Amino acid sequence: MLQVIFLGTAGSLPTPDRSLPAILVNREGDLLLFDCGEGTQRQMMIARTGMMRLSHIFLTHLHADHILGIPGLLETMAFQGRENPLVIAGPPRTARMVSILNGLGCCVRDFEIRVLEMRPGDSVRMSGYTVTAIATQHSVPSLGYVLLEDMRPGRFNRERAIEIGVPVGPLFGRLQRGESVEIDGRVVRPEDVLGAPRPGRKIVYSGDTRPTNEIEEASRNADLLIHDGALADDMIDWAVETKHTTAGEAAALAARAGVRRLVLTHISSRYSEDTTPLLNDARKIFPETMIASDLMRIEVPLRDA
């Protein structure tokens, strides 16, 4: 299971239909939050995602619309009796920001908050996957993130296994897990019965940024690219000035990188009534484009090759 839940999809300020930036990834029960705008804990309640299994919050940058949901989320988890540590990762100055937020109000928590300041290329190793920071280009120090699963074993060739004398049963499972087995004094290796290794899934989240070569390279063959698509193409001058990306620019990057699906988020309030201009600009370049909406869920399937 690899599911992405868009908790907040607005840019800079909320609208009646869009909360501030927050994206939750559920990978086999591991919960990771990318950015944490105001009211994120309420969005999690509405989405019924749970909070207690949340292990990491990855911040793209420290603009208020991406971080002001942290105090409320921490207090809600404390009220619910959380005991497990929580990691808050982000660009330089994240530790200072967390310290300031911790000083707000009279807070009593029974869980540890660990801060991790990351730079492009830094990785956090998880069970079966890695989250890596990538360089982005915004008006303050900023990062994007790549979630990349480990390579998976190749497809098990049952007929070949039987042909070379592996009895049907538990030895099949051991071979599929990458273990060699001994049968009548000879060793059967996983590569004797498995096809070529298969790639894990890849999700890229740009955060607020201009389109960059670093994001494009990191997005190569990604299953899902979640990119800043704040503005329509006729707002290109404003996008350059504010260091955001137009829908067409994001689509062109997705096409060059060969991604499977593009989701535009951080939607400007200019498009509160109608996001059609964004979608039209993007789809004429990259048809597999969607506009994120609050509480939208996307399942990212495994691929065979």
Side-chain angles (χ1 to χ4, degrees):
M1 173 186 178
L2 183 57
Q3 186 179 71
V4 181
I5 305 102
F6 293 83
L7 300 174
T9 59
S12 301
L13 70 159
T15 72
D17 297 316
R18 293 185 185 275
S19 297
L20 289 172
I23 297 172
L24 190 73
V25 174
N26 183 339
R27 185 195 179 272
E28 303 294 347
D30 289 351
L31 296 184
L32 311 176
L33 183 63
F34 293 85
D35 288 328
C36 188
E38 294 170 60
T40 291
Q41 85 272 39
R42 184 172 182 272
Q43 293 294 91
M44 295 174 80
M45 292 173 185
I46 295 171
R48 298 183 180 276
T49 63
M51 301 175 193
M52 305 307 269
R53 289 182 289 114
L54 180 67
S55 63
H56 291 72
I57 301 174
F58 291 95
L59 302 173
T60 58
H61 63 290
L62 304 185
H63 274 156
D65 57 322
H66 290 251
I67 66 170
L68 288 184
I70 293 174
L73 177 58
L74 296 181
E75 290 307 288
T76 299
M77 290 191 292
F79 188 81
Q80 293 179 346
R82 183 184 180 106
E83 296 179 351
N84 293 332
L86 176 71
V87 176
I88 299 179
R93 296 176 67 95
T94 295
R96 179 174 180 270
M97 179 274 297
V98 171
S99 176
I100 291 170
L101 293 183
N102 270 334
L104 297 176
C106 299
C107 306
V108 178
R109 304 189 191 109
D110 292 326
F111 63 95
E112 178 187 2
I113 298 172
R114 300 172 181 168
V115 179
L116 179 62
E117 294 193 347
M118 301 182 71
R119 297 183 182 276
D122 290 346
S123 295
V124 177
R125 179 65 188 162
M126 309 287 195
S127 177
Y129 62 103
T130 301
V131 177
T132 301
I134 57 174
T136 58
Q137 185 185 116
H138 195 40
S139 55
V140 297
S142 60
L143 298 169
Y145 294 99
V146 179
L147 187 157
L148 179 62
E149 293 182 323
D150 298 346
M151 293 289 288
R152 296 179 293 135
R155 190 174 298 281
F156 181 68
N157 188 331
R158 176 187 174 92
E159 291 73 21
R160 174 59 179 163
I162 293 172
E163 179 185 322
I164 62 177
V166 181
V168 176
L171 296 185
F172 277 19
R174 289 179 57 186
L175 287 163
Q176 291 179 69
R177 290 192 296 271
E179 302 175 28
S180 296
V181 300
E182 185 173 334
I183 301 169
D184 298 330
R186 60 189 177 87
V187 175
V188 177
R189 299 166 300 172
E191 53 266 37
D192 296 331
V193 294
L194 296 179
R198 294 171 290 175
R201 293 165 289 191
K202 182 198 282 191
I203 298 173
V204 179
Y205 174 43
S206 76
D208 297 9
T209 184
R210 292 291 297 146
T212 68
N213 291 334
E214 291 85 353
I215 298 171
E216 183 177 330
E217 284 305 310
S219 301
R220 194 73 58 197
N221 300 318
D223 296 274
L224 177 64
L225 170 60
I226 305 165
H227 203 287
D228 178 348
L231 299 162
D233 289 353
D234 61 2
M235 297 290 292
I236 179 63
D237 291 344
W238 184 240
V240 171
E241 182 174 344
T242 58
K243 297 198 182 298
H244 284 286
T245 303
T246 71
E249 287 179 310
L253 185 151
R256 292 192 302 267
V259 308
R260 296 193 168 201
R261 183 160 33 170
L262 169 66
V263 176
L264 301 179
T265 192
H266 204 270
I267 306 303
S268 169
S269 58
R270 291 174 178 82
Y271 311 99
S272 294
E273 300 297 324
D274 184 15
T275 59
T276 302
L278 301 174
L279 198 59
N280 287 344
D281 286 347
R283 283 189 172 171
K284 67 185 179 185
I285 299 170
F286 189 74
E288 294 301 318
T289 302
M290 302 172 65
I291 306 294
S293 58
D294 280 18
L295 307 179
M296 180 174 83
R297 295 173 184 252
I298 291 179
E299 298 279 351
V300 182
L302 290 166
R303 22 177 179 160
D304 285 334

